[in-house]
């Protein structure tokens, strides 16, 4: 049975990734910060014996080390770095920036994904599929910035892209691929009610890219529909 480890799986895209992989017969290691409050995820686990729910705050090195030890004997086919925050969505522009929010955005969106990738690279290397996926955003594409604002979110995703591009080179000798994906504008708590895609539609499209991953896709930054995003 192939295995996927998903961060930020309590709701939204992460929960949908867990649902679709569980229904496809995968072993799902679903992580979130507060499992006791993740009712939808626990309901999914109750329906599928292959779903395990684990506590993980991607900014907490001790929790990450504990999870790494708990799962040390497993091979992880796909490591899915989905956990993320958009804390400055409604913040002001220059003159009203909150630098603590900016630091928190980097801690989760950038460093969190790198920490998890570093911790589980060994388990990914032991698997058959050997793939690391990072859920990024087109807002991290510097070439596509056409308006002010959203500095913390944009820069944290741009930094994630840069880090993962380098990590793709570092992991390639171990046979591990890295893929960066923009899920589109999705109707989650982050995306809002006016979004164009449902979580099911977005994840279904991204899963198709993951399923067809090949060496030529390593380190690339793609939209959910497969089109390339400029850096």
């Amino acid at each position: 049975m192939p295995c996927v480890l998903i961060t930020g799986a309590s709701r939204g895209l992460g929960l949908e990734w867990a649902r679709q992989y569980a229904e496809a017969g995968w072993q799902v290691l679903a992580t979130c910060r507060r499992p006791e409050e993740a009712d939808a995820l626990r309901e999914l686990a109750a329906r599928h014996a292959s779903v395990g729910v684990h506590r993980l705050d991607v900014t907490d090195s001790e929790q990450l080390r504990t999870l790494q030890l708990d799962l040390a004997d497993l091979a992880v086919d796909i490591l899915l770095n989905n956990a993320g925050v958009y804390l400055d969505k409604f913040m002001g522009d220059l003159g009203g920036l909150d630098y603590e929010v900016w630091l928190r955005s980097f801690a989760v969106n950038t460093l969190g994904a790198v920490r998890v990738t570093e911790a589980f690279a060994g388990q990914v290397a032991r698997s058959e599929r050997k793939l690391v996926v990072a859920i990024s955003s087109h807002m991290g594409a510097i070439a596509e910035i056409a308006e002010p604002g959203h500095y913390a979110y944009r820069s944290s995703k741009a930094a994630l892209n840069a880090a993962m591009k380098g990590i793709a080179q570092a992991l390639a000798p171990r046979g591990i691929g890295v893929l960066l994906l923009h899920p589109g504008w999705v109707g989650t708590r982050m995306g809002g009610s006016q979004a164009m895609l449902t979580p099911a539609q977005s994840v279904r499209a991204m899963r198709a890219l993951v399923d067809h991953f090949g060496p030529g896709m390593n380190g690339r930054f793609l939209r959910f529909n497969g089109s390339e995003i400029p850096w």
Side-chain angles (χ1 to χ4, degrees):
M1 179 185 296
C3 176
V4 58
L5 192 159
I6 306 167
T7 64
S10 62
R11 56 183 172 81
L13 286 174
L15 179 62
E16 184 61 25
W17 280 105
R19 185 187 69 79
Q20 290 195 22
Y21 273 117
E23 291 179 353
W26 283 54
Q27 180 179 9
V28 178
L29 308 172
T31 75
C32 61
R33 288 186 299 158
R34 292 184 288 272
E36 65 278 3
E37 298 177 11
D39 294 341
L41 181 57
R42 289 190 288 109
E43 289 173 8
L44 179 69
R47 295 196 305 270
H48 297 275
S50 62
V51 176
V53 180
H54 303 271
R55 184 181 305 277
L56 179 63
D57 179 335
V58 298
T59 69
D60 189 321
S61 58
E62 288 302 316
Q63 284 188 20
L64 182 56
R65 178 59 177 163
T66 297
L67 182 64
Q68 182 187 29
L69 291 173
D70 289 345
L71 305 178
D73 295 333
L74 292 177
V76 175
D77 288 272
I78 298 175
L79 173 58
L80 211 162
N81 289 295
N82 169 78
V85 294
Y86 191 174
L87 301 176
D88 62 329
K89 187 172 184 178
F90 302 108
M91 280 176 56
D93 205 340
L94 293 178
L97 299 180
D98 186 328
Y99 290 95
E100 291 302 317
V101 163
W102 206 326
L103 288 170
R104 177 65 180 171
S105 300
F106 264 87
V108 177
N109 294 348
T110 309
L111 301 183
V114 173
R115 284 178 189 271
V116 173
T117 300
E118 187 176 33
F120 286 97
Q123 279 102 313
V124 176
R126 293 203 303 268
S127 73
E128 291 187 11
R129 303 214 179 190
K130 298 182 173 64
L131 181 61
V132 174
V133 178
I135 303 304
S136 185
S137 170
H138 74 108
M139 291 181 70
I142 295 173
E144 294 196 356
I145 297 176
E147 61 182 12
H150 314 282
Y151 302 110
Y153 186 72
R154 287 186 186 278
S155 60
S156 67
K157 289 298 189 179
L160 170 66
N161 294 346
M164 286 295 171
K165 182 71 173 178
I167 287 171
Q169 310 306 314
L171 295 181
R174 302 171 70 178
I176 299 174
V178 175
L179 182 62
L180 287 147
L181 293 176
H182 166 52
W185 186 13
V186 187
T188 62
R189 191 167 76 178
M190 183 184 291
S193 60
Q194 302 301 311
M196 300 174 63
L197 296 168
T198 66
Q201 290 170 326
S202 174
V203 170
R204 192 177 303 117
M206 290 189 289
R207 276 188 60 215
L209 296 173
V210 170
D211 289 345
H212 293 93
F213 181 86
M217 298 170 70
N218 191 36
R220 290 174 63 187
F221 182 21
L222 304 177
R223 300 182 200 278
F224 67 97
N225 61 9
S227 61
E228 197 99 29
I229 302 179
W231 297 102

